[in-house]
Amino acid sequence: MTEHTRSTATFTVKRGLADMLRGGVIMDVVNAEQARIAEDAGAVSVMALERVPSDIRRDGGVARMSDPQLIEEIQAAVSIPVMAKARIGHFAEAQILQSLGVDYIDESEVLTPADEANHIDKWSFDVPFVCGATNLGEALRRIAEGAALIRSKGEAGTGNIVEAVRHLRSINAAIREITQADASELFTIAKNHQAPVNLIQEIAETGKLPVPLFCAGGISTPADAALVLQLGAEAVFVGSGIFKSSNPQLFARAIVEATTHYQDAAVVAKVSRGLGAAMAGLETATLESRYAERGW
Amino acid sequence: MGAPIGVLALQGDVREHRRSLERIGREVVEVKTPADLQRVAGIVLPGGESTAISLLLNSSGLTEPLTNAIAGGLPTFGTCAGLVLLARSILDGRPDQVQLKGLDVVVRRNGYGRQLASFEGHVAGHGPLDGAALPAVFIRAPIIESVGADVEVLGTIDHAGIETPTLVRHGSVLASSFHPELTSDDRIHHLFCDMVEAATK
């Protein structure tokens, strides 16, 4: 038999897991019990964090990486991939998460940033990273730093989809503009987006972001999921929307169904029926702090 | 050309299988309902999370028609999660996981480890795939622990010194623990299309 070497942590391997999560729902959980509920409801992955975003908003203070013990309990409780959040620029938290063997790290604006100028050098890690973006330039800067998956930021913890819609539309409009540009215009476009020109050139050729684009921030109903999938998101992260609703099991299940059948309004209507109260929402115009503005 | 080939489109890397099949000139239909299933001459079960796909198979009313179609000889190709769904026996699965049967193998979910152990490598081809090694991407891959007497082993990899099956065929069912659809090598999709052609003659 021919001997061949194995390569771990290649970019194909890192984005490969994101490819497998497409069409699925990644649910925020703070403990093993919530992780089990999420898996039972059909989550493709769970995101471990210390507090869900709406509680971070309410309680304030510095929001950090979860306790490693909680992450290990969540890993033991479920068979699906486990992601965990690290603060922007906090590479020591990311090193700890990698040592725990989490499957993806979210360098997240929902936690309190640790570095106001720099993000983590994600190429120096074997574990893949997802990062938030509000526009194409931000997405491409994160990809240049090694992110293998981009999500919209939305405005986490508000239950209000308006910011996620803005971010998805902004990213997709910028991609459309690039595909219409001629080769000599791409340099100025790169300058305007503050993004590497090679990534802009790649988009001009393929018409797509170089990594999958998921949606996060403010999804709280099945209809929200159907909306963002139709706007081009390839999967959804749901934070406070599940465990801050009146019936987490039902909401989780319904959002999973709506994410798969987003093009079939009859299915989305069926799963939306009799769900009870969604999480209480917040008007984003009156927020004291906007998490989406974190990230450089 | 022939009738279209379906890709089960409940969750997972549907687009990559579509790309591989279209590259070799096949028409593709995404299957989300029993009505979609009736239009196809063969079906691909993509990579994804087998637990989530199980729930969605049940709620879409696809579990029974798909099980019957596979038992009736519908050519079926499962990759990774698709392999898990087809296996006779699943280790480290969930008790409520859907089993479509059709493939006499024992698999262990995530048997190659978590994401940090995911890798790219090459699979040695056997039988119809004898020749240059096949590029392969393993993502939190299931491991085939044993195969029944009627199962052909068409691909293997050296895993911890043991020649481990990674691509198997049992009658009209083909399955791999890795993702050929994440590579540009279409030999395995060609093989599956040949199986579809043979079945529709």
Side-chain angles (χ1 to χ4, degrees):
Chain A
M1 186 167 88
T2 337
E3 280 302 318
H4 288 281
T5 49
R6 288 185 184 192
S7 311
T8 54
T10 63
F11 201 69
T12 299
V13 164
K14 287 177 171 179
R15 75 157 281 172
L17 180 55
D19 288 324
M20 298 311 144
L21 300 175
R22 289 213 313 265
V25 183
I26 300 134
M27 301 183 192
D28 276 4
V29 299
V30 299
N31 56 41
E33 189 202 342
Q34 289 187 352
R36 272 187 220 102
I37 291 171
E39 186 181 45
D40 287 346
V44 291
S45 175
V46 291
M47 172 75 72
L49 74 174
E50 187 191 37
R51 290 173 282 167
V52 294
S54 65
D55 286 342
I56 296 173
R57 251 178 219 294
R58 191 194 60 206
D59 300 340
V62 175
R64 310 179 179 89
M65 173 188 85
S66 290
D67 184 327
Q69 187 182 325
L70 270 173
I71 293 171
E72 284 169 341
E73 286 169 11
I74 291 167
Q75 287 173 315
V78 296
S79 64
I80 54 181
V82 175
M83 305 189 182
K85 285 187 193 284
R87 285 179 263 179
I88 289 174
H90 206 315
F91 53 83
E93 282 188 349
Q95 288 161 356
I96 292 166
L97 293 174
Q98 176 166 282
S99 80
L100 297 174
V102 304
D103 295 295
Y104 242 93
I105 294 176
D106 185 359
E107 186 184 18
S108 178
E109 70 285 356
V110 170
L111 306 186
T112 310
D115 188 325
E116 292 190 328
N118 308 292
H119 283 252
I120 296 169
D121 169 15
K122 293 165 275 287
W123 295 113
S124 69
F125 285 80
D126 289 341
V127 64
F129 279 75
V130 52
C131 287
T134 60
N135 58 47
L136 183 67
E138 204 177 353
L140 296 181
R141 290 194 292 281
R142 300 295 85 80
I143 294 167
E145 294 156 2
L149 170 62
I150 294 294
R151 56 172 174 75
S152 67
K153 284 183 179 170
E155 196 51 57
T158 62
N160 189 337
I161 198 68
V162 64
E163 293 300 314
V165 168
R166 187 198 315 280
H167 302 158
L168 288 173
R169 284 204 182 270
S170 165
I171 291 168
N172 287 328
I175 290 172
R176 277 195 299 274
E177 186 206 15
I178 290 167
T179 60
Q180 302 296 313
D182 76 38
S184 58
E185 292 168 332
L186 297 178
F187 301 95
T188 299
I189 289 176
K191 185 188 75 180
N192 292 342
H193 285 296
Q194 298 179 279
V197 70
N198 65 310
L199 294 178
I200 296 283
Q201 287 164 331
E202 187 181 332
I203 289 172
E205 245 171 66
T206 63
K208 298 192 302 232
L209 207 61
V211 303
L213 174 63
F214 291 3
C215 179
I219 295 167
S220 45
T221 66
D224 289 345
L227 174 68
V228 299
L229 269 281
Q230 289 180 62
L231 286 173
E234 298 174 280
V236 296
F237 287 87
V238 184
S240 323
I242 289 172
F243 288 100
K244 290 295 172 187
S245 71
S246 55
N247 189 331
Q249 280 91 346
L250 268 183
F251 267 84
R253 199 59 227 280
I255 292 173
V256 166
E257 293 290 338
T259 300
T260 291
H261 299 287
Y262 68 93
Q263 291 158 311
D264 188 341
V267 174
V268 182
K270 185 176 144 203
V271 301
S272 301
R273 207 166 284 150
L275 276 183
M279 69 175 284
L282 293 172
E283 170 60 55
T284 53
T286 59
L287 292 178
E288 280 177 20
S289 59
R290 286 175 164 262
Y291 297 157
E293 289 167 2
R294 298 167 168 173
W296 349 108
Chain B
M1 290 297 287
I5 292 180
V7 179
L8 185 70
L10 299 175
Q11 191 274 314
D13 71 333
V14 177
R15 188 170 72 202
E16 283 70 19
H17 276 290
R18 172 187 275 278
R19 186 179 61 190
S20 298
L21 290 166
E22 287 178 346
R23 221 161 30 205
I24 57 177
R26 294 300 303 222
E27 189 194 338
V28 173
V29 166
E30 294 194 0
V31 174
K32 290 189 178 193
T33 65
D36 298 333
L37 182 62
Q38 294 197 327
R39 298 175 51 203
V40 302
I43 188 160
V44 173
L45 312 180
E49 279 304 318
S50 62
T51 53
I53 296 172
S54 280
L55 285 169
L56 291 160
L57 278 169
N58 286 336
S59 61
S60 308
L62 273 166
T63 305
E64 196 189 336
L66 188 53
T67 306
N68 292 341
I70 293 168
L74 179 74
T76 304
F77 175 26
T79 61
C80 195
L83 161 69
V84 174
L85 290 167
L86 289 163
R88 172 177 58 81
S89 174
I90 305 167
L91 305 173
D92 294 345
R94 288 170 54 92
D96 57 351
Q97 211 160 341
V98 164
Q99 291 186 260
L100 299 170
K101 307 186 181 72
L103 182 63
D104 186 12
V105 302
V106 178
V107 299
R108 183 178 298 279
R109 286 184 63 214
N110 308 330
Y112 288 91
R114 290 184 166 279
Q115 174 63 11
L116 285 171
S118 293
F119 65 98
E120 287 183 73
H122 285 82
V123 161
H126 307 296
L129 292 169
D130 205 14
L134 298 146
V137 184
F138 291 75
I139 305 286
R140 287 174 49 97
I143 196 164
I144 299 173
E145 297 227 331
S146 65
V147 302
D150 297 331
V151 174
E152 297 171 85
V153 175
L154 303 183
T156 54
I157 197 167
D158 180 349
H159 182 63
I162 297 164
E163 192 172 0
T164 306
T166 56
L167 175 68
V168 292
R169 181 163 66 175
H170 186 184
S172 57
V173 174
L174 181 70
S176 64
S177 49
F178 59 92
H179 297 284
E181 74 280 11
L182 294 185
T183 75
S184 55
D185 188 316
D186 298 325
R187 278 178 287 167
I188 298 171
H189 284 85
H190 260 296
L191 175 69
F192 179 60
C193 289
D194 290 346
M195 290 166 59
V196 173
E197 290 305 314
T200 45
K201 267 193 187 127

